Amino acid sequence: MFDTLDDALADCRNRLIRAPRDRKSPMHAPVIVTGDVDARVMVLRAFDAADWRLRLHTDTRAPKASVIAADPRVAVLFYDKGAKVQIRARGEGEIVREGAEVDTAWAASTRFARRCYMGEGPGAVADAPTSGLPPEFEGVEPDEAQLVPARENFALLRIRIMALDWLYLAHTGHVRAQFARVGEAWQGRWVAP
């Protein structure tokens, strides 16, 4: 099934191409780990297969934004239980707050999704369970004018993948490959699981 390193690398690429396009893909919501060794599940919004770059959305006020600015190392964990494939990726993250790509991503998001950037920033302390949204927007879709102030809190998290660890779990014996970027090319090797 996966007889060559090229097959394993192509499997990584194909799964990452599908993940942001298909909400039912098990790799649509990977675990993102930042340099402070904090982990969270995030939704993968895009994958640039030519540059091996992931794109996710984030709040500029989220603690991870300052962590990534100080230490751009990011790890990403993808797992497809049905296919028994795990992909661990390491790369360099950056928070992008302005520019055409950010504006396009903002405009392409639904108003309900953009509403998340209206209220208190992530991690704001509260006296009771809260969404952090202003009360008038609980369960209510804001209009475009109401969303204007929220745009300054929206950013992209871009992660350029520099290393991959691909694991296929099989009852006949697990198979694992590792890949590292050398310039724009990938060098791979088989390793024991």
Side-chain angles (χ1 to χ4, degrees):
M1 183 172 184
F2 299 106
D3 296 326
T4 69
L5 289 168
D6 287 342
D7 291 341
L9 186 61
D11 187 61
C12 290
R13 180 184 305 109
N14 292 337
R15 290 177 186 284
L16 295 180
I17 289 170
R18 177 182 167 220
R21 297 176 182 173
D22 180 0
R23 289 178 176 230
K24 294 182 180 180
S25 166
M27 296 189 173
H28 182 66
V31 175
I32 308 295
V33 183
T34 47
D36 59 348
V37 198
D38 195 7
R40 79 278 292 147
V41 173
M42 294 181 72
V43 174
L44 181 61
R45 304 295 180 167
F47 171 63
D48 177 345
D51 198 30
W52 287 81
R53 188 180 304 268
L54 308 173
R55 190 192 85 212
L56 308 101
H57 296 173
T58 192
D59 193 307
T60 60
R61 302 165 296 171
K64 69 180 163 290
S66 59
V67 170
I68 291 169
D71 180 355
R73 293 176 301 156
V74 177
V76 185
L77 175 63
F78 298 91
Y79 184 61
D80 183 334
K81 181 179 179 181
K84 299 181 181 175
V85 171
Q86 171 184 274
I87 299 171
R88 292 185 298 158
R90 288 185 322 236
E92 296 173 355
E94 65 176 324
I95 302 296
V96 183
R97 300 167 194 262
E98 297 177 354
E101 184 181 12
V102 182
D103 293 338
T104 299
W106 174 257
S109 297
T110 67
R111 289 195 308 253
F112 266 116
R114 288 183 275 161
R115 173 183 70 145
C116 296
Y117 301 92
M118 295 178 81
E120 297 294 323
V125 177
D127 293 331
T130 181
S131 67
L133 292 172
E136 64 271 23
F137 294 110
E138 289 284 346
V140 175
E141 184 177 42
D143 64 32
E144 289 297 327
Q146 293 167 319
L147 285 164
V148 169
R151 170 58 185 86
E152 71 183 52
N153 300 323
F154 176 79
L156 304 181
L157 166 56
R158 290 194 309 210
I159 303 167
R160 186 164 192 244
I161 298 174
M162 304 303 290
L164 292 162
D165 190 303
W166 173 88
L167 175 66
Y168 172 61
L169 303 170
H171 70 281
T172 55
H174 309 323
V175 179
R176 181 176 172 203
Q178 293 177 330
F179 300 91
R181 273 183 108 140
V182 179
E184 294 305 310
W186 287 98
Q187 286 188 345
R189 64 184 181 182
W190 295 110
V191 295

